[in-house]
Amino acid sequence: MFDLLVKNARDIKGNALEIGINSGKIIDLSESLQGQAKEVFDAKGAYVSAGWIDSHVHCFEKMDLYYDYPDEIGVATGVTTVIDAGSSGEGNIKNFYALAKKAKTNVFALLNISKNGIVTQDELSDLSLIDEAKNIARIKELPDFIVGIKARMSKTVIGQNGIIPLQMAKKLQSKVKLPLMVHIGSAPPKLEDVLQELEAGDIVTHCFNGKENGILATDGEIKDFALKAYRQGIVFDIGHGTDSFNFKVAQVAREEEVSAQSISTDIYIRNRKNGPVYDLATTLSKLLKVGYSLEELISAVTTAPAKNFDLKNKGSLEVGKDGDLTFFKLEDKQEILVDSNENIQQSEQILTPVACTVAGVLYQESEKK
Ligand SMILES: [Zn+2]
């Protein structure tokens, strides 16, 4: 007896796949599954993957600058897990947790090293807001919620502090042994100085931004130090955002065999409603246009973020993993895709989520408000 039996789905290679879920976990997978079930979902030939993980979002609804609602960017758009990337810090993350645990979508957080997260744009301009002991205490207090730490290393954020906040983040990381996500943008600090501080496994978000201080040199090639960082195992994450995804940078990188390992949106209410982000599927469709295969795209929102943030029960379709699934179609549709710099491309195909499950609970697109 299954709690939920998924019929007539296909894996991303196109093979028939049926899935049984019990008590929130995947308990059986095969090309044809029979048996009693409390609920049957007919996927009608849609693709199924492990539930999509968007590893850079802003969904602490009580914030003023960057905020959204977990389920609006989560289960309503085929995303089963979101990781809030530093909206809050040790001073306010408990309030965020109290709200986040009510969501249908799985919500995790990266702790901003600055006390109150992104209350103002320049959260790392005052070093007295970075308190290592309090950061460590908070991380110990919320081990199932805080899955990493976040430092935003760009001009408007750091004030006169140069690389110091990043060094403080690295020091904290060495004590708490958690993944570190670093946001890059305009200098100072110089991208080269940021990458210098990082090690394999550290995550650089906004990797394909179109700014002067990005990975692309003026001669149109990837800067040597960026290539070196990539080859050393520093994780390149999309973090599309209002300001931080450029088609040309993504294309040149691709030609030089630099691909984003994880694909995230940096979504919040304004770039969701007004674009250019809209949702994770739209970001995936943009990378499809750049030439990423379906397998690469899905890995970048499942296995890769699960590995990057050590989400052990998520990210793959296997017996024993959480019953988080995303169902989607690949549709032949010519749509206008716009990057963060108003460059336009036309799609040949787009990804369209049709439903998802979180711990075996089904959410369909028709329920979208
Ligand atoms: Zn962000």
Side-chain angles (χ1 to χ4, degrees), residues 206-227:
H206 309 315
C207 65
F208 297 153
N209 73 64
K211 296 168 187 173
E212 208 182 308
N213 194 39
I215 63 166
L216 205 60
T218 41
D219 64 1
E221 294 197 348
I222 303 295
K223 294 171 184 170
D224 285 344
F225 63 80
L227 213 49

Side-chain angles (χ1 to χ4, degrees), residues 12 16 20 44 61 77 79 100 146 171 192 195 202 215 241 314 355:
I12 54 167
K44 296 182 181 147
E61 63 201 64
T77 64
V79 174
I146 300 175
K171 185 161 163 265
E192 183 166 15
L195 296 179
D202 291 342
I215 63 166
K314 304 200 182 292

Side-chain angles (χ1 to χ4, degrees), residues 56 58 150 266:
H56 182 166
H58 295 281
K150 175 88 188 270
D266 190 17

Side-chain angles (χ1 to χ4, degrees), residues 22 46 54 82 97 105 120 137 148 173 192 195 220 228 237 242 268 276 311 337 355:
N22 249 9
D54 188 342
V82 294
Y97 177 58
T105 309
T120 57
Q173 182 195 26
E192 183 166 15
L195 296 179
K228 191 172 142 233
D237 172 63
T242 308
Y268 74 113
L311 305 176
L337 302 170

